[in-house]
Amino acid sequence: MNKKNPFLSNPFLGLFTLWSLFWFIVVFLLFYPFIFILLQKLSYRKYAAKLVRIWSKCFFFFSFIRFEVKHHFVPDKKQNYVFCANHFSFLDIPVIVYLLEHYTSFVGKSSLGKLPLFGYMYARLNILVNRSDNASRAGSLSKALKALQSGRSIAIFPEGGIVSKKYPYMAKPLKDGALIMAIQQQIPLVPISLFNNYQIFSDKPLMIRPGVIRAEIHPPIITKGLTLDDVPMLREKLYHIIQDPILKYYSLDEPQ
């Protein structure tokens, strides 16, 4: 990845980053009063989530970012799922929001809940976890199971955050939380491959590029009949379904 400051090495990218961030913030501030009102009642939160999806679409539209999505499977709106994707960029969350029409809660890091305005919204629509705290991890799994039981879907990054040291290789081993909740609820796991978000959006240094986001929504992994004894097999299967198409896209070999 290019570590040069785009504001110095490429003035266009610097100005484009400012343009995109401007629309990200402005649309958020315009929507926030309505989102805030809808968050006050549990039964209205799904409508707040729809406004967040519209906000995501506006951001990508004004940032001249288009999508090429390969659909092997279209999720049934009457069914809930556990969606799992690789995690290389902060752009991954708005991309997943854009892609999914389901009322979906993310399992995300607790530090996001401390951000002004955004944190209040994020904490009420999603499930926060401090990954360094065992009690927090156990509590987030319990909350996610309750969300699935209530009819919500769950989106989770099974790498456990943006932890890969070498994109586009995923970090291994994957965490078991997504696998456990899917097996316990006997609901499908839906793998999603995000190919190039880290090239469109970089945080070190902060840089946003116009371009085409490429993603692939894979057929669901059916967990009906599986038990917790099947977690190791499922972990490996999920990893390869997500990772292999990404490596093929970049003409890379599986790491040794």
Side-chain angles (χ1 to χ4, degrees):
M1 296 174 63
N2 185 5
K3 295 183 179 181
K4 292 182 180 179
N5 190 326
F7 292 86
L8 299 177
S9 61
N10 190 327
F12 169 77
L13 278 182
L15 291 173
F16 184 80
T17 297
L18 292 175
W19 166 268
S20 298
L21 292 175
F22 169 81
W23 284 108
F24 182 86
I25 294 169
V26 166
V27 176
F28 171 69
L29 293 177
L30 287 174
F31 282 16
Y32 190 80
F34 304 101
I35 293 173
F36 180 85
I37 292 169
L38 293 171
L39 290 175
Q40 304 312 304
K41 191 170 181 180
L42 190 61
S43 60
Y44 290 166
R45 289 186 183 178
K46 61 183 177 181
Y47 302 110
K50 288 184 178 181
L51 283 182
V52 171
R53 187 164 186 261
I54 295 171
W55 168 36
S56 174
K57 287 188 171 187
C58 290
F59 165 70
F60 289 118
F61 175 81
F62 286 114
S63 296
F64 305 102
I65 296 173
R66 296 176 291 119
F67 281 75
E68 283 187 5
V69 183
K70 189 174 183 179
H71 288 271
H72 296 281
F73 164 72
V74 178
D76 184 347
K77 293 182 181 180
K78 297 180 181 179
Q79 164 79 52
N80 59 341
Y81 304 90
V82 177
F83 297 99
C84 295
N86 56 295
H87 198 16
F88 300 156
S89 168
F90 288 119
L91 197 62
D92 296 339
I93 291 178
V95 165
I96 295 294
V97 169
Y98 180 97
L99 291 176
L100 301 179
E101 295 186 11
H102 281 65
Y103 177 25
T104 302
S105 291
F106 286 85
V107 177
K109 58 183 181 180
S110 57
S111 58
L112 291 175
K114 299 176 183 179
L115 296 174
L117 298 181
F118 178 87
Y120 179 87
M121 175 195 74
Y122 190 84
R124 278 150 186 79
L125 289 176
N126 301 293
I127 298 163
L128 304 186
V129 57
N130 180 351
R131 295 188 177 96
S132 63
D133 186 295
N134 291 335
S136 177
R137 292 202 303 270
S140 67
L141 178 59
S142 176
K143 290 177 183 177
L145 288 170
K146 288 179 181 178
L148 290 168
Q149 290 165 1
S150 72
R152 263 186 288 168
S153 291
I154 292 293
I156 190 167
F157 300 108
E159 292 169 272
I162 303 178
V163 293
S164 174
K165 303 299 183 184
K166 186 180 179 183
Y167 307 146
Y169 292 101
M170 294 174 67
K172 289 185 75 176
L174 302 184
K175 308 299 183 184
D176 291 342
L179 313 176
I180 291 170
M181 65 180 74
I183 288 173
Q184 287 191 351
Q185 294 301 306
Q186 295 286 280
I187 62 173
L189 276 166
V190 179
I192 300 175
S193 297
L194 304 175
F195 292 87
N196 63 331
N197 290 352
Y198 72 97
Q199 295 175 331
I200 299 291
F201 181 100
S202 168
D203 64 310
K204 294 178 182 179
L206 180 62
M207 177 184 65
I208 302 174
R209 286 189 174 99
V212 179
I213 284 175
R214 292 178 170 84
E216 187 169 352
I217 301 177
H218 301 282
I221 302 173
I222 305 303
T223 62
K224 194 164 286 187
L226 299 183
T227 69
L228 294 182
D229 291 335
D230 296 302
V231 165
M233 173 276 295
L234 200 57
R235 185 195 308 124
E236 196 68 13
K237 183 176 183 178
L238 178 65
Y239 169 83
H240 282 288
I241 291 174
I242 296 173
Q243 178 74 94
D244 289 355
I246 298 173
L247 297 183
K248 184 178 179 181
Y249 175 79
Y250 289 102
S251 300
L252 295 172
D253 296 324
E254 177 76 16
Q256 300 300 317

